[in-house]
């Protein structure tokens, strides 16, 4: 992989890291600011309110996926990536200055909601633009390895957020964190986004996009996407199990360990921080493996593991009484999830031709996340509030089982030539010969 390829991957990943830092610090610091925007009362109810606003951000992701996916296909991957980081920076500033309930009543919650809507727009386009950029910018024989850096950067953003949380927990009192300390990560995120904006303004466009000669007026439109409806539905189905499992063991894990298992916030945060470092390191290894053996074996392994191990892992996590036991179970879960996270970006990008690739990945993926990923935490807390917390474990396992059926029936995409995928010739699931051209 040449120097220019590495430069493109670095710039794309660095921006993705800041995007997801801002996105995830909302979840990781929610236990500190949940009481700031809503009346005092049941802590679980307060968390449900903030989790509800977290989920609302996901419901804006389809809009962001459509809007920014269209920009990515018509104006270029660089234009879409620059716009996403601008929106994310604005949302981080809004959260950082949002007034509390004691100052403005529900006005502060309204500001929080607007910020999450902007974040939803941004991340709805960021995933697809980043997945498309990283996949197109890489050597054809190493697309799995290169695109795995999307989840490396996503996880690095969360690690940075958790790392900052650990520092603040050890340098500030609990009262100070609940009072004003939770605003610090959002200020950091806004500053980081400004730096990435500069980097992305000077980034290089991918050769696959720059050399594409199909300049149809329908490029990046819903009408063009409808011609690939089979692939679009495939993206939704293959995302379903993976996104629920990912958000369960990343954004929700810290709250679960403190709110259900009874670990201190500091211990729960440290468990998540350590597990995510290992998780990030696993992504390129699994991505490289997919370049050798294919994408389907990793996806199938993830789905089988998540279907049959989720219930016992979550049950045991609820009963842990210390750091090491919790860490071991968290690592086991994240090793399983790696089969999905390390390669899902390139799998989705490989399904569509260049002129509809960004929108083709963005919109169906955002829909799946709005329905399953964004609501995972809220569903978990709903089950807990209803006194049947174990119901959530079975829900996660069931989602993985649905995706397993898709993984088993879909075709392999590893050897496709992205530049020669033609309109109307998607890969889809089911029997029959693929009409896509493979790399020579």
């Amino acid at each position: 992989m040449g120097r220019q390829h590495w430069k493109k991957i670095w710039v794309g990943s660095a921006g993705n890291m800041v995007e997801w830092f801002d996105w995830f610090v909302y979840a990781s610091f929610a236990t500190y600011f949940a009481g700031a925007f809503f009346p005092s009362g049941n802590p679980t109810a307060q968390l449900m309110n903030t989790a509800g606003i977290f989920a609302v951000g996901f419901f804006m992701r389809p809009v962001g996926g459509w809007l920014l996916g269209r920009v990515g296909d018509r104006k270029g991957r660089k234009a879409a990536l620059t716009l996403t980081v601008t929106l994310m920076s604005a949302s981080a500033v809004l959260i950082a200055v949002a007034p509390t309930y004691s100052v403005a009543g529900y006005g502060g919650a309204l500001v929080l909601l607007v910020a999450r809507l902007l974040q939803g727009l941004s991340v709805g386009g960021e995933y697809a633009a980043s997945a498309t950029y990283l996949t197109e910018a890489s050597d054809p024989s190493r697309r799995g390895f290169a695109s795995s850096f999307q989840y490396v950067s996503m996880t690095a953003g969360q690690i940075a957020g958790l790392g900052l949380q650990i520092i603040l927990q050890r340098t500030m009192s609990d009262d100070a964190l609940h009072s004003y300390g939770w605003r610090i990560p959002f200020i950091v995120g806004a500053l980081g986004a400004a730096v990435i904006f500069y980097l992305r303004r000077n980034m290089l466009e991918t050769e696959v996009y720059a050399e594409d000669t199909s300049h149809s007026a329908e490029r990046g439109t819903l009408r063009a996407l409808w011609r690939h409806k089979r692939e679009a539905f495939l993206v939704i189905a293959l995302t379903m199990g993976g996104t629920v499992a990912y958000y369960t063991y990343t954004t929700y894990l810290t709250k679960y360990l403190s709110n259900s298992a009874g670990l201190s916030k500091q211990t729960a945060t440290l468990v998540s921080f350590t597990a995510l470092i290992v998780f990030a390191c696993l992504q390129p290894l699994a991505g490289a493996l997919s370049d050798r053996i294919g994408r389907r074996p990793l996806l199938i392994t993830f789905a089988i593991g998540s279907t049959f191990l989720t219930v016992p892992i979550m049950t045991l996590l609820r009963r842990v009484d210390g750091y090491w036991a919790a860490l071991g179970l968290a690592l086991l879960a994240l090793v399983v999830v790696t089969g999905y996270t390390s390669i899902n970006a390139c799998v989705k990008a490989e399904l569509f031709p260049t002129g509809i690739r960004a929108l083709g990945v963005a919109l169906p993926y955002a829909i799946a996340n709005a329905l399953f990923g964004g609501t995972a935490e809220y569903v978990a807390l709903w089950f807990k509030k209803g006194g049947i917390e174990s119901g959530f474990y079975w829900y996660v396992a069931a989602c993985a089982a649905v995706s397993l059926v898709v993984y088993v029936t879909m075709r392999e995409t590893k050897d496709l030539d992205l530049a020669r995928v033609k309109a109307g010739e998607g890969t889809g699931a089911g029997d029959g010969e693929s009409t896509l051209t493979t790399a020579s």
Side-chain angles (χ1 to χ4, degrees):
M1 191 175 291
R3 182 176 179 181
Q4 289 298 326
H5 283 123
W6 278 114
K7 182 178 180 180
K8 292 176 181 178
I9 290 172
W10 155 244
V11 175
S13 297
N16 202 34
M17 180 182 72
V18 174
E19 289 267 358
W20 287 92
F21 171 87
D22 288 339
W23 181 260
F24 281 120
V25 290
Y26 180 99
S28 61
F29 278 84
T31 54
Y32 290 104
F33 66 75
F37 296 103
F38 301 98
S40 59
N42 189 326
T44 299
Q46 290 179 338
L47 280 175
M48 285 188 69
N49 286 328
T50 53
I53 292 179
F54 182 79
V56 166
F58 275 83
F59 284 100
M60 286 300 292
R61 289 177 67 162
V63 180
W66 165 73
L67 177 64
L68 295 167
R70 181 181 173 88
V71 171
D73 285 328
R74 297 182 73 88
K75 302 298 182 181
R77 319 310 188 201
K78 173 183 174 180
L81 287 169
T82 303
L83 183 54
T84 60
V85 77
T86 302
L87 292 173
M88 186 61 75
S89 179
S91 65
V93 171
L94 281 178
I95 297 176
V97 301
T100 63
Y101 180 81
S102 62
V103 173
Y106 285 105
L110 180 61
V111 173
L112 194 65
L113 177 61
V114 171
R116 288 298 295 176
L117 294 177
L118 288 177
Q119 285 190 338
L121 284 173
S122 175
V123 177
E126 170 67 25
Y127 175 88
S130 177
T132 302
Y133 189 89
L134 289 172
T135 301
E136 290 181 349
S138 63
D139 184 290
S141 65
R142 304 191 71 184
R143 288 200 300 258
F145 172 77
S147 65
S148 71
F149 282 90
Q150 181 176 48
Y151 268 82
V152 171
S153 58
M154 286 171 62
T155 306
Q158 189 173 3
I159 290 171
L162 288 171
L164 180 57
Q165 185 173 8
I166 291 173
I167 293 173
L168 294 178
Q169 286 173 340
R170 282 158 173 71
T171 57
M172 301 179 69
S173 68
D174 196 60
D175 288 341
L177 276 173
H178 281 85
S179 176
Y180 65 89
W182 59 265
R183 298 182 186 273
I184 295 175
F186 297 103
I187 296 173
V188 172
L191 294 174
V195 174
I196 298 306
F197 175 81
Y198 171 78
L199 292 175
R200 285 187 166 178
R201 289 274 293 178
N202 295 282
M203 72 193 301
L204 300 173
E205 187 58 84
T206 68
E207 292 180 8
V208 172
Y209 181 86
E211 296 176 0
D212 182 51
T213 57
S214 59
H215 298 295
S216 169
E218 294 185 355
R219 186 185 184 108
T221 64
L222 293 176
R223 181 178 297 179
L225 179 60
W226 185 248
R227 297 196 184 99
H228 298 270
K229 55 184 177 294
R230 190 180 187 184
E231 288 73 34
F233 284 113
L234 179 60
V235 170
I236 293 175
L238 68 87
T239 301
M240 178 180 177
T243 190
V244 171
Y246 176 74
Y247 282 99
T248 296
Y249 295 120
T250 56
T251 59
Y252 180 59
L253 181 64
T254 304
K255 297 186 198 62
Y256 181 71
L257 291 175
S258 62
N259 203 29
S260 295
L263 298 182
S264 67
K265 291 178 182 178
Q266 291 82 354
T267 300
T269 302
L270 187 59
V271 168
S272 293
F273 180 77
T274 309
L276 286 172
I277 290 177
V278 177
F279 178 67
C281 294
L282 290 174
Q283 304 309 300
L285 299 177
L289 179 63
S290 78
D291 288 327
R292 296 180 64 86
I293 68 173
R295 321 297 189 213
R296 290 177 67 248
L298 271 71
L299 291 172
I300 292 171
T301 299
F302 150 72
I304 292 175
S306 190
T307 299
F308 294 103
L309 294 179
T310 295
V311 174
I313 288 176
M314 294 296 287
T315 300
L316 291 172
L317 274 173
R318 187 179 181 183
R319 300 172 181 171
V320 296
D321 57 2
Y323 168 80
W324 290 108
L327 177 62
L329 289 167
L331 286 176
L332 174 60
L334 289 174
V335 167
V336 171
V337 174
T338 294
Y340 166 80
T341 56
S342 60
I343 58 171
N344 80 94
C346 67
V347 170
K348 293 161 190 171
E350 288 165 344
L351 294 175
F352 300 94
T354 303
I356 195 65
R357 185 168 292 132
L359 181 61
V361 175
L363 186 56
Y365 172 79
I367 291 172
N369 266 271
L371 295 175
F372 303 105
T375 59
E377 182 178 326
Y378 192 84
V379 170
L381 292 170
W382 180 83
F383 273 112
K384 178 178 175 60
K385 189 176 182 181
I388 48 173
E389 189 167 29
S390 61
F392 176 67
Y393 316 159
W394 291 100
Y395 167 76
V396 177
C399 289
V402 172
S403 288
L404 175 59
V405 175
V406 177
Y407 301 154
V408 170
T409 58
M410 70 181 288
R411 299 187 183 97
E412 181 58 63
T413 62
K414 176 175 74 75
D415 294 321
L416 300 180
D417 185 342
L418 296 181
R420 299 175 67 184
V421 178
K422 301 299 182 183
E425 298 180 345
T427 54
D431 297 327
E433 293 297 323
S434 171
T435 54
L436 283 168
T437 305
T438 57
S440 58

